[in-house]
Amino acid sequence: SGRIRSMGVEPGMTWKRFQGVIWALLAACAAGVVLLLLVSGSGLLLIGQVSGGDIMAVLGMVFLLTLLVWVDGAIAAFLKGWERVAALAFALVVETLALLMLLFFVFYFNTSPEYIPLRGPTGETELVVCEENWLFKVWGSFYRPAGPFWIQSTGVSYEVRDCWPFREGRYEIEWAEGQAIIHYDTGTGVWETCAVPLNK
């Protein structure tokens, strides 16, 4: 400790720096989530196939992992000898089991959303379909472009069974005045029709 003091660094400085990094990561994740919630009134953020919900999920995972690292760091900093080893081993086992359970539920209930642009007669993207599925059920919603990275819900949705009409191109569109008339395969041998407004 004398050598540490002679270098002008207090003994607890390493733990303080560690905590500083942890709090900075937690604050960045929380700020990102709050910012996404604040701008969600403009519509759904969409960058390629990455939505605002995906970004929030990643931020939430980073937040959780950062908390777990903080707990492990606190154990390593304040315990010594066999107590440190036992506490770290127990914490790692509990954390691993918790993360495995979380990953299981995330993958099991993942609906695999895919965003498919529908282009109008001029070649511009007039609508975006978010098609999702779970087990044998497929459903989706129609959105209008609302900006470079934003889409706005039209309030129109659909459900089909064991087929992906928009991913597989099993649909037809009639572009009318102020709306799109869409015919799509339901997977049951019957085609359904819905009207989607195009008014901005």
Side-chain angles (χ1 to χ4, degrees):
S1 61
R3 184 181 176 186
I4 294 176
R5 289 193 180 92
S6 66
M7 294 171 62
V9 181
E10 293 297 326
M13 185 60 71
T14 300
W15 172 245
K16 289 181 180 179
R17 287 179 178 173
F18 175 78
Q19 280 190 308
V21 172
I22 292 295
W23 296 129
L25 283 173
L26 293 176
C29 291
V33 171
V34 171
L35 180 61
L36 286 171
L37 290 174
L38 288 175
V39 300
S40 62
S42 301
L44 175 66
L45 176 65
L46 183 64
I47 304 173
Q49 291 293 322
V50 180
S51 69
D54 297 327
I55 297 174
M56 289 184 67
V58 171
L59 290 174
M61 182 63 72
V62 173
F63 189 92
L64 175 60
L65 290 174
T66 303
L67 283 179
L68 295 181
V69 170
W70 180 81
V71 170
D72 295 340
I75 292 173
F78 294 105
L79 296 180
K80 296 181 180 179
W82 67 269
E83 292 181 345
R84 175 192 292 175
V85 175
L88 279 175
F90 177 77
L92 289 174
V93 169
V94 172
E95 292 165 4
T96 300
L97 291 175
L99 288 175
L100 287 175
M101 290 181 61
L102 178 62
L103 289 174
F104 169 78
F105 282 107
V106 167
F107 283 108
Y108 182 73
F109 291 106
N110 179 30
T111 60
S112 304
E114 183 172 333
Y115 297 87
I116 303 123
L118 302 180
R119 304 188 185 281
T122 62
E124 297 284 335
T125 298
E126 296 290 345
L127 292 171
V128 175
V129 183
C130 177
E131 197 163 66
E132 305 176 75
N133 68 281
W134 190 69
L135 298 179
F136 300 105
K137 183 178 179 181
V138 180
W139 68 94
S141 302
F142 295 95
Y143 294 83
R144 291 188 304 268
F149 300 109
W150 298 95
I151 54 177
Q152 191 78 42
S153 175
T154 63
V156 180
S157 60
Y158 64 93
E159 291 186 10
V160 296
R161 186 168 184 81
D162 202 21
C163 78
W164 294 264
F166 293 92
R167 298 186 197 190
E168 298 174 350
R170 295 157 67 175
Y171 67 92
E172 297 176 354
I173 305 179
E174 298 175 22
W175 300 100
E177 184 68 28
Q179 64 178 354
I181 310 300
I182 302 177
H183 312 279
Y184 58 91
D185 188 356
T186 63
T188 61
V190 178
W191 282 54
E192 293 285 350
T193 301
C194 64
V196 184
L198 299 176
N199 297 326
K200 305 291 184 178

